Amino acid sequence: MSKTSQKQPVGFATHIVAGGLAGAMEALCCQPLDTIKVRMQLSKSGVAPGTKPRGFIATGVSIVQRETPLALYKGLGAVLAGIVPKMAIRFASFETYKTWLANKETGQTSVGAIFFAGLAAGTTEAVAVVTPMEVVKIRLQAQSHSLADPLEVPRYRNAAHAVYTIVREEGFGTLYRGVSLTALRQASNQGANFTAYQELKKVAHRLQPDLVDLPSYQHMFIGLISGAMGPFSNAPIDTIKTRLQKSSAAEGESAWTRITLIGKEMWRQEGVRSFYKGITPRVLRVAPGQAIVFAVYERVRRVIENMKERTTDDSYTE
């Protein structure tokens, strides 16, 4: 005799495993696009009269020719080290906030509540993991040394050495440089991302009422659309944040003063287009990245839930 199994709520361990695997897959697939984006944001090309800013393809070709193809994966160690806690915090905190904001009687969550849960989840991951991870990643990606030349020694050898050097020379607080901008970017990203994803998923289920779970390719397509929304809405924030985290702070200079100076300098010297430098590789990275994240996350979560259900069924079999 078997007891009918009921679907259990997703546990925190499931978020860690599914989110971590999804994030690792995203990083491995999309890191080259992120490196190109960072180089474009830090580039001053096009400032001199008669010159044009270096584009997405030209930047990538330049990196490969000057530094070998492996240079496109600079900073990957920092990303992988932070991706598991980042994704675990993102999904676990989003589900927690969504539960808190749900209607107590019906258990349903409104579109506005989902958006605020996404905002809160993005802020949480920015403060807990993303800011120090990105400071280290950007410092590594900004190095233009050739990986083919053993005599060309970079300032930061790897992620661990970068953390050690930054803390020793600039203080622990440097790892949180740009935390306000990072939190603003992550909050707006995840607010738009989760809202679009959840609502599009509802539409897909309404159009296919016979499906209990959507197939992976549909999760991927929905994730692609939802992931593209954030970069267009907060590109200026991301560009200023990148330049802030790359540079060293002057003594006695507040973060807000530095942010203002960077923004004014970009506007005066490079024009409004400079705030959107790297938007092409960023969208090409974030949108497919979210497609991979949601598809892998949903798939791994489903596998874990099915394993738990089989275990429960076996325990009630006589």
Side-chain angles (χ1 to χ4, degrees):
M1 182 173 70
S2 298
K3 183 179 178 179
T4 303
S5 62
Q6 293 182 347
K7 200 168 186 178
Q8 299 296 317
V10 179
F12 188 74
T14 303
H15 288 300
I16 292 177
V17 176
L21 288 173
M25 186 63 67
E26 178 208 11
L28 290 170
C29 294
C30 303
Q31 182 65 9
L33 293 167
D34 189 68
T35 299
I36 294 172
K37 181 212 74 170
V38 168
R39 291 294 182 87
M40 289 179 71
Q41 289 177 331
L42 295 175
S43 172
K44 298 295 179 70
S45 63
V47 175
T51 62
K52 294 182 178 180
R54 182 178 289 166
F56 162 59
I57 295 176
T59 300
V61 170
S62 175
I63 293 172
V64 171
Q65 290 179 340
R66 169 74 175 81
E67 307 167 46
T68 77
L70 284 176
L72 293 171
Y73 283 90
K74 283 181 178 179
L76 181 62
V79 174
L80 289 175
I83 207 75
V84 173
K86 171 186 171 182
M87 289 300 174
I89 288 170
R90 174 182 297 179
F91 285 103
S93 63
F94 172 73
E95 293 296 336
T96 300
Y97 296 136
K98 192 173 76 167
T99 301
W100 289 350
L101 294 168
N103 186 296
K104 302 303 179 186
E105 296 179 357
T106 64
Q108 298 297 311
T109 311
S110 67
V111 176
I114 289 174
F115 179 72
F116 280 111
L119 288 178
T123 303
T124 302
E125 70 176 18
V127 175
V129 179
V130 177
T131 303
M133 180 185 77
E134 291 217 338
V135 169
V136 174
K137 175 183 71 72
I138 287 169
R139 295 291 181 95
L140 290 166
Q141 288 174 320
Q143 298 182 131
S144 299
H145 67 290
S146 172
L147 297 178
D149 186 355
L151 299 179
E152 195 171 347
V153 181
R155 183 180 183 189
Y156 308 115
R157 294 193 294 272
N158 50 50
H161 181 251
V163 172
Y164 172 76
T165 304
I166 291 168
V167 172
R168 186 189 63 186
E169 295 181 358
E170 303 176 54
F172 181 81
T174 303
L175 293 175
Y176 279 87
R177 181 172 296 155
V179 65
S180 58
L181 290 176
T182 304
L184 184 59
R185 185 198 67 179
Q186 293 302 113
S188 55
N189 268 350
Q190 300 317 318
N193 190 18
F194 276 115
T195 303
Y197 184 77
Q198 296 282 325
E199 292 306 304
L200 289 171
K201 211 162 80 161
K202 290 177 186 176
V203 172
H205 276 294
R206 280 199 298 269
L207 294 174
Q208 306 164 103
D210 295 335
L211 285 181
V212 177
D213 293 307
L214 297 178
S216 293
Y217 78 89
Q218 291 187 20
H219 286 300
M220 184 171 285
F221 182 69
I222 294 170
L224 184 75
I225 296 172
S226 66
M229 295 185 175
F232 285 112
S233 65
N234 56 29
I237 295 170
D238 188 58
T239 303
I240 295 174
K241 177 201 71 70
T242 299
R243 295 200 180 192
L244 178 71
Q245 292 176 327
K246 161 65 170 62
S247 62
S248 299
E251 190 174 347
E253 188 176 63
S254 68
W256 179 248
T257 300
R258 185 67 184 147
I259 290 169
T260 305
L261 286 174
I262 291 173
K264 286 181 177 178
E265 183 182 80
M266 289 172 63
W267 178 272
R268 186 173 58 252
Q269 296 184 4
E270 303 171 62
V272 68
R273 291 181 62 183
S274 66
F275 291 95
Y276 288 87
K277 279 187 173 181
I279 186 65
T280 300
R282 187 175 174 219
V283 171
L284 290 175
R285 185 210 185 287
V286 174
Q290 289 307 299
I292 293 168
V293 164
F294 279 116
V296 174
Y297 174 81
E298 296 278 8
R299 181 65 180 172
V300 173
R301 188 181 72 170
R302 196 182 310 150
V303 168
I304 294 173
E305 288 175 338
N306 290 338
M307 290 172 62
K308 287 181 178 178
E309 288 176 5
R310 283 198 296 271
T311 302
T312 303
D313 285 344
D314 291 342
S315 67
Y316 283 98
T317 300
E318 293 182 358

